Amino acid sequence: MPKRISPTTSEHPTHIAGNSTLGFQSILALSTGPSWRTRGLQAAAKLTNLEIQIPPQPHIHPDLVNAFQSLGPEGIRKPTHGASIAWLAHLDIIKYTVQANMDTVLILEDDVDWDVRIRSQMIRIAQSVRNLTHYPNDDINNPAITTHESETAPYGRDWEVLWIGHCGEYWEDHYETVLYDDPTACPHSDYIGWAKGYIERIPDRRRAVYWSANPVCSFAYALSREGARKVLELLGGAQGEAFDVSMMMACKGKKIKCISVVPEVVHQYFPDQSFGVTSNVDIGNGKEAGAKEADFEGVMGSTENILESARCRALWEQTCLRKP
């Protein structure tokens, strides 16, 4: 059976995880520029009072993409052209955090969505991460923890990647897990994705926080300073099929200290399916861009596994949970 730990109820210092940057030094969005993606992101951020920065993304030369795509020995799976562009973009934004000497950062892809209650969700997650990593919770009375540590480490210090937005993750009964009741967690009946069978092993309407096993999709992940350095070192030379898969493999191999949140609290928003909107990766692979933004941007789409969509609430004053 998993180790079921009840998170503490203390408001200090985990309540910092409910601030406008969710307890991280900064929230950065990975984006190629203004579009329906960023406009919806900014509307959701305004509604939930989050401060999200969108750094300009540097141009990636096609020759660099081609070279990156071909790195590694024969016989290993290699990224497509579009996946290589996305991979290099993730590396660029992580380099930006290193150059800025960020202590912690949350990186979002620009088409993501989250629950309108994200700030209270993250406080519970911070409590759970601290319990999972056995980081002292009574910081005020612990002489080993400085005031600065207490004020800047709502999630503790013993993690390197905190994977809060993904499209699926394994879970087994023997995993050391912090489980807690969460009415904002997507119920089993509404959960969509390849990991539904694993999700159904977790008690319904509960959130699980545990050492990562197999998270896929890099919708939203936080990095510590050491985590950023390790990701650049381990993933900077490609040699895999995609950025998220390679980071997952580094987590699985215990080369990086990674923690997953399941069900996820951040997921990709999808424009209305009838318009056939194309992803940036597919466009990078040469696929037609599809419908024009003016045709679909004003029509509500949907988000999987997020009960009270911040995007849809901000733009249409409605929820838009995609049903199975």
Side-chain angles (χ1 to χ4, degrees), residues 166-223:
H166 49 78
C167 57
E169 164 66 296
Y170 291 170
W171 187 79
E172 300 288 352
D173 198 56
H174 64 271
Y175 291 174
E176 181 182 12
T177 303
V178 178
L179 276 174
Y180 58 92
D181 294 332
D182 188 350
T184 74
C186 184
H188 294 168
S189 59
D190 289 332
Y191 191 88
I192 294 176
W194 65 266
K196 184 177 176 67
Y198 292 100
I199 293 290
E200 290 176 341
R201 298 176 184 178
I202 297 170
D204 204 10
R205 308 312 295 274
R206 286 192 173 186
R207 194 86 61 185
V209 176
Y210 54 94
W211 297 106
S212 298
N214 197 86
V216 182
C217 300
S218 49
F219 299 149
Y221 57 95
L223 297 171

Side-chain angles (χ1 to χ4, degrees), residues 70 72-76 78:
S70 63
E74 294 295 326
I76 67 167
K78 297 182 179 180

Side-chain angles (χ1 to χ4, degrees), residues 19 25 34 41 61 67 80 99 119 129 144 206-207 235 251 264 273 279 285 298:
N19 69 13
Q25 185 173 341
L41 183 85
H61 196 283
T80 63
Q99 291 164 342
R119 293 170 69 155
V129 170
R206 286 192 173 186
R207 194 86 61 185
L235 277 65
C251 294
E264 65 274 19
Q273 290 178 291
S279 73
N285 288 332

Side-chain angles (χ1 to χ4, degrees), residues 63-75:
D63 290 347
L64 175 59
V65 178
N66 293 334
F68 190 83
Q69 188 177 352
S70 63
L71 290 174
E74 294 295 326

